C-alpha cells in the first residue's frame, strides 16, 4: 500500500518541477552596453585545448598551483579585448600549440588592434545572450573571434587562428565610458 502511494507522490513532484527561463526585456542594461560598441572584456581564466604537449608541461610542474591543463587563472593580470566604435583591440595570453613554425619578433599572445571584418552582433532570444563574431588579422595571424555575452555580463571568448590551436577565455564585460581608450 505504501509503495503505490510513494510512487504517485514522487511522480507528482517530478512532473510539477519545471525549469523556469528568465527572459530579459528590452530595457535590460546589457542591450545598451552591447549596442554602444564601447565595452571591454576582462579575462579571468583561459581554457586552452588540452593536448599531449600541454599535459606534459602540466605533469612536469611548470603550471602554477591551482591551475590545470584545462583552466589557467588570469585574474589580476589585466588581459583584455576591447570593442570601441568600429575598432577592436586585444592583449590576451596564449597557451597551446603553434601549428606552423614562427620567427623571432612574433607576438606570443593573442594581440591585435584595428578594424575587424565581418563584424556581426546578434541577440539570441532563445538562449538569452549576445553573440558577437568578427575576424581580424595582424602581421602573422588571422583571428576568428566569437564572444558569448550573457545578461549578468559574464562572457566567453573563443579564439580560432590560422596558426595555433583554439583557446577560450572566461571573464566579464564592462563599459569603456569611464576608461581612457588608447
Amino acid at each position: 500500500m505504501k509503495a503505490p502511494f510513494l510512487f504517485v507522490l514522487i511522480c507528482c513532484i517530478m512532473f510539477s518541477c519545471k525549469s523556469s527561463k528568465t527572459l530579459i526585456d528590452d530595457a535590460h542594461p546589457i542591450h545598451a552596453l552591447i549596442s554602444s560598441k564601447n565595452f571591454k572584456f576582462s579575462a579571468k581564466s583561459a581554457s586552452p585545448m588540452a593536448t599531449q604537449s600541454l599535459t606534459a608541461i602540466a605533469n612536469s610542474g611548470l603550471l602554477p598551483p591551482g591551475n590545470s591543463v584545462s583552466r589557467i587563472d588570469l585574474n589580476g593580470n589585466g588581459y583584455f579585448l576591447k570593442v570601441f566604435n568600429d575598432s577592436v583591440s586585444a592583449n590576451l595570453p596564449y597557451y597551446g600549440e603553434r601549428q606552423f613554425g614562427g620567427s623571432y619578433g612574433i607576438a606570443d599572445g593573442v594581440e591585435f588592434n584595428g578594424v575587424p571584418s565581418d563584424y556581426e552582433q546578434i541577440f539570441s532570444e532563445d538562449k538569452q545572450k549576445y553573440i558577437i563574431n568578427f575576424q581580424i588579422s595582424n602581421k602573422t595571424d588571422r583571428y576568428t573571434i566569437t564572444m558569448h555575452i550573457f545578461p549578468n555580463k559574464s562572457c566567453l571568448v573563443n579564439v580560432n587562428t590560422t596558426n595555433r590551436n583554439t583557446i577560450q577565455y572566461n571573464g566579464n564585460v564592462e563599459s569603456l565610458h569611464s576608461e581612457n581608450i588608447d
Side-chain angles (χ1 to χ4, degrees):
M1 182 71 180
K2 288 184 182 181
F5 175 73
L6 189 57
F7 177 75
V8 170
L9 180 64
I10 291 172
C11 287
C12 289
I13 290 171
M14 289 183 68
F15 286 119
S16 66
C17 294
K18 65 176 183 176
S19 65
S20 62
K21 191 174 193 178
T22 305
L23 299 176
I24 62 171
D25 61 0
D26 292 339
H28 195 280
I30 196 68
H31 297 301
L33 177 65
I34 303 306
S35 296
S36 73
K37 285 192 176 180
N38 282 298
F39 58 90
K40 173 184 174 183
F41 164 76
S42 298
K44 298 200 181 296
S45 67
S47 300
M49 182 183 290
T51 62
Q52 188 173 4
S53 299
L54 202 54
T55 303
I57 290 171
N59 289 339
S60 68
L62 292 174
L63 290 179
N67 292 310
S68 69
V69 173
S70 61
R71 186 184 179 285
I72 299 171
D73 184 34
L74 302 176
N75 260 337
N77 289 319
Y79 295 116
F80 68 88
L81 187 154
K82 293 180 184 178
V83 174
F84 48 99
N85 301 323
D86 291 332
S87 298
V88 295
S89 67
N91 180 14
L92 298 166
Y94 180 77
Y95 303 94
E97 294 180 15
R98 179 178 295 278
Q99 300 302 315
F100 300 105
S103 63
Y104 293 107
I106 294 176
D108 291 329
V110 176
E111 298 174 11
F112 53 81
N113 187 12
V115 178
S117 61
D118 302 325
Y119 185 93
E120 173 188 50
Q121 67 183 36
I122 58 169
F123 182 71
S124 174
E125 290 283 340
D126 58 331
K127 298 198 188 244
Q128 293 291 290
K129 66 179 179 180
Y130 272 94
I131 301 170
I132 298 175
N133 296 302
F134 63 88
Q135 294 183 0
I136 190 163
S137 298
N138 64 12
K139 294 178 185 175
T140 58
D141 261 325
R142 178 150 181 86
Y143 300 99
T144 300
I145 310 292
T146 302
M147 302 176 74
H148 298 269
I149 304 172
F150 301 91
N152 65 355
K153 297 184 181 178
S154 66
C155 182
L156 300 173
V157 175
N158 293 309
V159 178
N160 294 313
T161 68
T162 53
N163 297 321
R164 305 182 203 180
N165 288 345
T166 300
I167 188 168
Q168 182 180 70
Y169 301 93
N170 302 307
N172 295 318
V173 292
E174 62 187 4
S175 175
L176 277 176
H177 290 299
S178 60
E179 185 178 316
N180 184 17
I181 302 172
D182 294 327

